[in-house]
Structure formats: C-alpha cells, structure tokens
Amino acid sequence: MAKPVKGAKKDKASKRDYKQAPKKEGKAISKKDSNREVIYGKNTVNEVLESKRKVFEVIVTDAVAQHDAGLMKLVEKQNISCKVLPKQKFEQMVKDKYDVKGNHQGVLAIVEPYAYMPLNDLIKKATQKEEPAFILILDGLEDPHNLGAILRTADASGVDGIIIRKDRSVGLTSTVAKLSTGAIEHVPVACVANLTVAINQLKEAGLWIAGTDASEAQDYRTLDASLPLGLVIGSEGKGMSRLVREACDFKVYLPMRGHVTSLNASVAAALLMYEIYNKRNPIK
C-alpha cells in the first residue's frame, strides 16, 4: 500500500486538561474513601499486588485463605491488611457494602484509583522506541466489556497505549479491571476532553491516523503496518463521530461474507491489532 499523503489542513489545537478522568461507574465506597476503589477477582487483585499501585486492604473468604497460597504470600510479603471472612459473610458484604455484581472469586481489595497517563507522556512513550508507535483511540465506547477485552488484547499484542474520551464513554472502572484480567495494570490509558485535538497531537508527533469505517475505506489487509499508527475504534452504535472521521488520514474496513453488517467493537479491534502485530512480527 502506498503511504497516504497528509493534507495540509489541520484543526487548531487548543490547550486541554488531559489528566481529568471520566466519571466512575457504580457507587463510591464512602465520602471519606473517595480516593479509594474496590477491585475484585483473583487475577485482577494479583496483578495489582505485583504493580506499584497502593493496596489498602485485601478481603478474602476463608476458602481462598486456605487454598490460594500464592495470593496470601503476596499479601503477607507486602504487609497489607488482610481480612478473612466466612463465605456467607463475605457474600453479604460485597453485595451490600461494595455493590459488586461480577464474579469476585472470593477476593476483593481496596486500592487507590486507577491513574490515567497524561497524553504527552503517552505520546513520548510510544514514539521513543525502535518499533513504530501504535496507539488505539476509542471514540465513545460505552460498554465496560468491550473496554476490558480491548485492554486485554492490547497488552497481548504490544499496543503502546489507549486514548479514551472523557464524556459519554466508559472509563477505568472495577468492572473493566476484572474483565481485562489484569491487563489494565500494564496498558497506559490517557483520558482526553477532545479526541480531535488529541488526534492532531498524534499527527504532530508523526503518527498516521487510521479509522475503522465501512465507506470509502480500504481492506484492512492492505494496511501499511510500517507506519507509526493511531487506530480509531468507533462506538458500539454509531461508529466514529463526524469530526473524528474527518481527522483520519485514511480508513479501513473488515470484509464480511456472512449476513451480519458489523462486528463487536472489541472483536474488530482485536483483528486489527493482530493484523498490525503479524505484519510487524512475521514468522521467520
């Protein structure tokens, strides 16, 4: 594929606060503990215990305390407060106090909230390495299942980081953490007020922006993976917004021979991430 030629026209970038995070889903622990967050699930808690994030307390069922020696050793090694409860009492607590609806596997932890990486730092991280940069841009994804799955694939395929929108999109919540099976601790995420402004910053740093769209697009298999790329994944219902679509340098589509008209956002993202991975890491 010939490299597309960037147009000279650029949106005027305005200064934004890229550190402000989107609203969290679910209820806070309490007003006093607004700087704390609940996470749950064995893999999720294990990843946090091995990360640099502060863990205030771990709560487990007596069965987990007896049979999961690896988890308990990590808690003991880091001298973290640990509460062991009978299963029935644990179930009641996670339901009434912490409003946990997912599969907690008998493990819950109180931790400091997930930190978003400033956009400038994410761009610097992605562009100061030997391999071309690869950043995902999520345009209004609202389903935590999609974000969790995308984080998991992004970590597996070596994506440098993800950019999400502050408004009308899902953020880094405990549900997303559980669904990412720990990948949330390893993939940097920047939260921005304006995606088109962020895209212009990526362009200025040398990235080419590829949007996913069914019209006026090229087959994703012709994508030139040697380019430093920013890949836009549109929202579940509406796809890319108009301004984001116009900011793309080119667009790609996934050919489909069946009867459905579109793929789930996380499935489409996974196919594209691994297409780029495969082209950059061919079998020798």
Side-chain angles (χ1 to χ4, degrees):
M1 184 196 86
K3 292 183 180 180
V5 178
K6 292 190 180 183
K9 187 177 180 182
K10 295 241 183 195
D11 293 332
K12 290 183 179 179
S14 59
K15 292 184 179 180
R16 303 277 182 171
D17 179 11
Y18 291 101
K19 295 183 181 180
Q20 189 172 355
K23 292 179 180 179
K24 298 286 183 181
E25 68 177 21
K27 60 186 180 182
I29 296 173
S30 72
K31 290 184 178 180
K32 290 183 179 180
D33 293 330
S34 59
N35 64 332
R36 302 186 178 200
E37 192 166 285
V38 174
I39 62 169
Y40 53 91
K42 291 183 179 180
N43 286 335
T44 306
V45 173
N46 265 302
E47 289 293 338
V48 173
L49 288 171
E50 293 178 348
S51 73
K52 296 180 180 179
R53 207 141 57 94
K54 184 173 179 58
V55 180
F56 299 102
E57 184 180 28
V58 173
I59 307 170
V60 300
T61 63
D62 47 12
V64 169
Q66 290 174 18
H67 301 296
D68 196 333
L71 174 67
M72 300 312 292
K73 282 181 181 178
L74 273 175
V75 173
E76 185 179 357
K77 182 180 178 181
Q78 297 187 30
N79 198 29
I80 295 169
S81 172
C82 183
K83 186 182 295 182
V84 180
L85 300 175
K87 182 179 179 181
Q88 187 175 359
K89 190 172 182 180
F90 181 93
E91 293 284 356
Q92 195 67 40
M93 180 199 66
V94 298
K95 178 183 176 182
D96 295 343
K97 185 175 181 180
Y98 297 118
D99 195 29
V100 171
K101 295 182 175 67
N103 181 15
H104 51 69
Q105 298 174 299
V107 181
L108 181 145
I110 313 300
V111 302
E112 65 180 353
Y114 292 98
Y116 292 88
M117 178 177 281
L119 181 60
N120 289 335
D121 291 350
L122 177 54
I123 293 173
K124 185 177 179 181
K125 173 184 178 293
T127 55
Q128 291 186 346
K129 60 184 183 58
E130 292 184 6
E131 191 176 61
F134 182 22
I135 293 174
L136 280 182
I137 304 154
L138 306 183
D139 186 9
L141 258 66
E142 297 179 343
D143 187 346
H145 291 78
N146 277 331
L147 181 54
I150 286 171
L151 279 162
R152 190 172 181 177
T153 309
D155 179 53
S157 60
V159 171
D160 296 311
I162 294 174
I163 300 172
I164 64 173
R165 200 169 70 190
K166 184 181 74 171
D167 297 322
R168 299 184 300 280
S169 64
V170 65
L172 300 183
T173 65
S174 57
T175 302
V176 171
K178 177 67 169 63
L179 294 165
S180 78
T181 63
I184 196 171
E185 301 297 331
H186 306 290
V187 181
V189 178
C191 178
V192 302
N194 189 310
L195 276 185
T196 55
V197 172
I199 285 172
N200 283 334
Q201 286 189 245
L202 295 179
K203 288 183 176 183
E204 289 169 4
L207 276 72
W208 297 80
I209 309 302
T212 49
D213 197 272
S215 61
E216 298 180 0
Q218 63 193 54
D219 191 306
Y220 81 109
R221 291 169 292 185
T222 67
L223 185 62
D224 186 351
S226 67
L227 297 170
L229 290 169
L231 177 65
V232 183
I233 305 297
S235 68
E236 293 90 351
K238 299 179 181 179
M240 291 188 294
S241 58
R242 180 180 62 83
L243 292 176
V244 169
R245 183 182 294 106
E246 291 173 357
C248 292
D249 293 308
F250 53 95
K251 296 184 281 291
V252 296
Y253 74 94
L254 294 160
M256 289 176 282
R257 296 179 62 179
H259 302 288
V260 297
T261 57
S262 63
L263 294 174
N264 174 276
S266 63
V267 172
L271 288 168
L272 290 161
M273 281 186 268
Y274 264 96
E275 177 68 12
I276 293 168
Y277 173 86
N278 289 337
K279 287 183 174 178
R280 290 183 177 182
N281 302 275
I283 297 175
K284 297 179 180 179

